[in-house]
Amino acid sequence: MKKIKSALISVYHKEGLELIIKELSEKGVQLISTGGTHDYIKELGYEVTKVEDITDYPSILGGRVKTIHPKIFGGILSRRHKKEDREQIAHYTIPEIDLVIVDLYPFEETVASGASQKNIIEKIDIGGISLIRAAAKNYKDVVVVPSSAYYEQFLTIFNNKGGCTDLTDRHFFAGAAFNVSSHYDTAIFNFFNTEYKHSTFKQSFIEGKTLRYGENPHQKGFYYGSLTEVFEQIHGKEISYNNLLDLDAAINLINEFKTTTFAILKHNNACGIASRKELSKAYEAALAGDPISAFGGVLITNKTIGPRTAEKINKLFFEIIAAPGFEKKSLEILKQKKNRVILHLKSTCFKNLSSKSVLNGVLVQEKDNITETENDFKTVTFKTPQSREIEDLVFANKIVKHTKSNAIVLVKGQQLLASGTGQTSRVDALKQAIEKAKENGFSLSGAVMASDAFFPFPDCVELAHQAGITAVIQPGGSINDQASIDYCNNRGMAMVMTGNRHFKH
């Protein structure tokens, strides 16, 4: 056990600090501070020594240099058990420092606020990060509180142990310190590496949680990040690993639509989605797309859910419902099932990079942010799609972009009729979609087809024509494109190309 006799305090956020100052002072701990933190402690009415009074140097360079001095870092880094260290700090009149409390400049928050380059650079903490690392390195003698997130935890230990800490406590806080400092440095590096000039991958998440399990019950699962930035959980059981995968797919899909749209997903793919003027009608059309697969699925919409829609949804067994809002009566209806997860979606700006672990490494790519509109269509057949078909082609192309490859999507009247997902053959994907549509009682006469990649042979457009499909959207790019175009021309079908493939694996 080591008693805390002196503490250096230099923090940006003062919230929660007052109680620590009070407890430290009442136990006779000497307080050392500088700048705004020193003034804050003085205003609270407690005795505090200025760093400048120890170093005999003022704060210089506009506050850039305050604590970086041998008389400060010597007091933190001195090894109490080493005779040589004790002799040196005595010779140079260096006071030992037993506790370091730091809360760094808010670099990430400053970047996120859209601040100027000058302001961002000034929020790169130098002294604070050095204090944290020094105190953590010397954890056998010094305890470090590396951010305001640890104030309460430190205070509990300090009070319970009579103003002392043991080696286990100091080791824990040292780990926390390097967690904070490495995360901080990662954020700074990524700010400077926005053009990817340095071929280095660095990601850091300061928050994390243990999930019930991973993809299967025998696998451990974890999530790192801040889910509260994306949604607020209003009701229901703990969200699982697979739920999070489905939610990621669902949110990315629904963000493609501005008009009133409802989607139902299963295993990251849409099994039902439709756009209508009324949300309840959109839900009914989405459910009709595949009512069997909808069982146990994830439901999502881009509009506030009212009682009429909630009553209809409540008849279905599902895992999650996510929406930007819920009317009070709707929540009363939906909360009738205690395990049903209800999520209030927030407006979130997602990062432009996605990553995936592969072969003991990481694959990183820019997200597929291209969403084609009618202006991006190039009609390659004699027949031009009708206005109704164009609307459906745009709709279908958004869905196929978010469907596992090889993917085929069939749409009519802004409603997903069926899709073929994750097939090794594009022909098999189409056959799967046609069969699924028939099973659910849909006529494909006048429907449109979307493909995530080009047709190497005309077999897909031939099957589509035989099923009644009248218009096709695909990227194009095959050396054999003309064969599919010729078939469409000979059968009076319309085909547009976008020039953009949308593989999703």
Side-chain angles (χ1 to χ4, degrees):
M1 298 285 285
K2 284 190 176 289
K3 190 168 185 64
I4 296 173
K5 300 176 183 178
S6 60
L8 173 63
I9 306 171
S10 179
V11 302
Y12 185 86
H13 291 107
K14 313 297 190 295
E15 297 84 356
L17 185 63
E18 182 177 355
L19 193 55
I20 292 179
I21 299 299
K22 176 179 178 292
E23 294 296 329
L24 290 173
S25 295
E26 288 181 354
K27 287 185 171 60
V29 177
Q30 180 193 7
L31 305 180
I32 305 166
S33 191
T34 186
T37 308
H38 171 272
D39 296 342
Y40 174 78
I41 296 172
K42 288 287 286 185
E43 288 172 6
L44 291 175
Y46 297 104
E47 289 294 320
V48 56
T49 303
K50 278 188 175 182
V51 165
E52 293 92 322
D53 293 340
I54 295 173
T55 64
D56 291 328
Y57 263 87
S59 172
I60 61 174
L61 305 181
R64 282 190 165 196
V65 180
K66 296 190 285 283
T67 57
I68 299 176
H69 192 281
K71 283 202 170 183
I72 298 301
F73 280 83
I76 295 171
L77 287 165
S78 67
R79 293 156 291 189
R80 277 54 162 176
H81 67 284
K82 287 185 73 72
K83 179 181 178 183
E84 298 92 326
D85 286 12
R86 293 197 304 272
E87 289 175 347
Q88 285 187 2
I89 66 169
H91 177 76
Y92 293 108
T93 321
I94 298 173
E96 289 182 344
I97 297 173
D98 306 312
L99 166 66
V100 173
I101 301 177
V102 174
D103 189 67
L104 299 170
Y105 289 164
F107 177 81
E108 287 181 283
E109 293 88 338
T110 305
V111 173
S113 73
S116 66
Q117 177 94 354
K118 178 183 176 182
N119 287 337
I120 291 171
I121 296 302
E122 288 306 315
K123 284 297 185 290
I124 298 176
D125 205 314
I126 302 300
I129 205 80
S130 302
L131 291 170
I132 285 174
R133 291 176 62 84
K137 177 176 181 176
N138 201 28
Y139 73 91
K140 289 186 178 180
D141 295 305
V142 179
V143 60
V144 57
V145 181
S147 84
S148 58
Y150 294 94
Y151 286 176
E152 185 177 346
Q153 194 167 0
F154 165 75
L155 191 58
T156 299
I157 292 171
F158 182 77
N159 286 331
N160 289 345
K161 296 184 178 179
C164 299
T165 62
D166 60 32
L167 187 60
T168 300
D169 301 325
R170 296 191 296 277
H171 186 276
F172 168 80
F173 281 109
F178 287 116
N179 180 29
V180 169
S181 65
S182 63
H183 177 81
Y184 197 77
D185 285 340
T186 296
I188 295 170
F189 169 76
N190 286 331
F191 171 75
F192 279 92
N193 197 40
T194 51
E195 296 180 4
Y196 318 123
K197 292 179 180 178
H198 303 281
S199 57
T200 301
F201 176 75
K202 293 184 185 296
Q203 284 287 343
S204 176
F205 298 97
I206 207 73
E207 296 181 54
K209 63 179 295 184
T210 301
L211 303 173
R212 296 200 307 270
Y213 50 79
E215 202 160 8
N216 298 293
H218 63 275
Q219 296 170 269
K220 292 182 179 179
F222 308 90
Y223 172 81
Y224 297 99
S226 177
L227 290 175
T228 56
E229 292 180 1
V230 184
F231 56 75
E232 174 192 0
Q233 183 167 352
I234 300 172
H235 182 74
K237 63 182 180 180
E238 183 182 350
I239 296 174
S240 71
Y241 182 100
N242 290 330
N243 288 158
L244 291 174
L245 289 175
D246 281 332
L247 276 170
D248 182 69
I251 292 171
N252 284 315
L253 173 61
I254 205 69
N255 283 346
E256 298 279 2
F257 300 89
K258 303 302 180 188
T259 56
T260 301
T261 303
F262 204 107
I264 305 171
L265 284 86
K266 200 77 171 287
H267 297 293
N268 309 158
N269 293 304
C271 58
I273 180 169
S275 294
R276 295 289 186 269
K277 290 182 179 179
E278 294 181 26
L279 185 58
S280 62
K281 298 295 184 184
Y283 166 70
E284 288 178 334
L287 180 62
D290 192 347
I292 295 176
S293 295
F295 184 87
V298 169
L299 282 56
I300 191 166
T301 181
N302 56 2
K303 301 297 178 183
T304 297
I305 293 179
R308 175 184 289 184
T309 306
E311 288 282 9
K312 293 179 179 180
I313 292 171
N314 196 43
K315 298 174 183 176
L316 176 71
F317 170 76
F318 58 89
E319 290 268 328
I320 295 175
I321 175 69
F326 298 86
E327 292 184 20
K328 183 178 179 181
K329 180 63 176 175
S330 303
L331 286 178
E332 292 175 2
I333 296 167
L334 295 171
K335 285 182 177 180
Q336 291 175 10
K337 306 290 185 182
K338 69 175 183 177
N339 288 330
R340 180 181 286 163
V341 177
I342 303 174
L343 304 177
H344 175 249
L345 296 176
K346 299 179 181 179
S347 180
T348 306
C349 182
F350 292 99
K351 295 177 181 178
N352 191 41
L353 291 181
S354 65
S355 57
K356 183 182 294 186
S357 62
V358 174
L359 301 174
N360 287 337
V362 179
L363 279 175
V364 180
Q365 67 171 350
E366 293 180 338
K367 287 188 175 178
D368 184 357
N369 291 323
I370 294 176
T371 300
E372 293 84 2
T373 66
E374 181 183 353
N375 294 331
D376 301 306
F377 293 177
K378 178 184 177 182
T379 302
V380 294
T381 49
F382 298 146
K383 183 179 179 181
T384 300
Q386 299 173 8
S387 59
R388 175 193 59 79
E389 291 173 323
I390 290 173
E391 290 179 358
D392 282 345
L393 289 170
V394 171
F395 186 86
N397 197 51
K398 290 177 179 178
I399 301 170
V400 83
K401 170 185 168 182
H402 294 274
T403 304
K404 295 287 186 180
S405 301
N406 285 311
I408 292 288
V409 164
L410 306 180
V411 164
K412 184 165 67 174
Q414 304 287 283
Q415 178 188 22
L416 174 64
L417 303 184
S419 59
T421 64
Q423 299 299 304
T424 53
S425 159
R426 195 159 303 281
V427 174
D428 286 342
L430 176 55
K431 288 178 179 178
Q432 181 190 55
I434 291 172
E435 184 62 30
K436 182 70 93 172
K438 290 179 178 178
E439 286 178 2
N440 289 314
F442 289 114
S443 168
L444 293 176
S445 178
V448 305
M449 173 174 72
S451 175
D452 62 338
F454 63 63
F455 300 118
F457 305 103
D459 45 7
C460 281
V461 290
E462 181 178 351
L463 282 172
H465 173 257
Q466 291 170 0
I469 292 163
T470 56
V472 178
I473 183 169
Q474 59 136 327
S478 169
I479 59 173
N480 205 23
D481 275 346
Q482 195 59 46
S484 293
I485 295 170
D486 289 344
Y487 184 91
C488 289
N489 283 333
N490 292 333
R491 301 301 190 279
M493 296 174 70
M495 178 184 285
V496 300
M497 293 184 178
T498 64
N500 297 308
R501 189 180 72 186
H502 290 297
F503 271 168
K504 184 185 178 188
H505 296 104

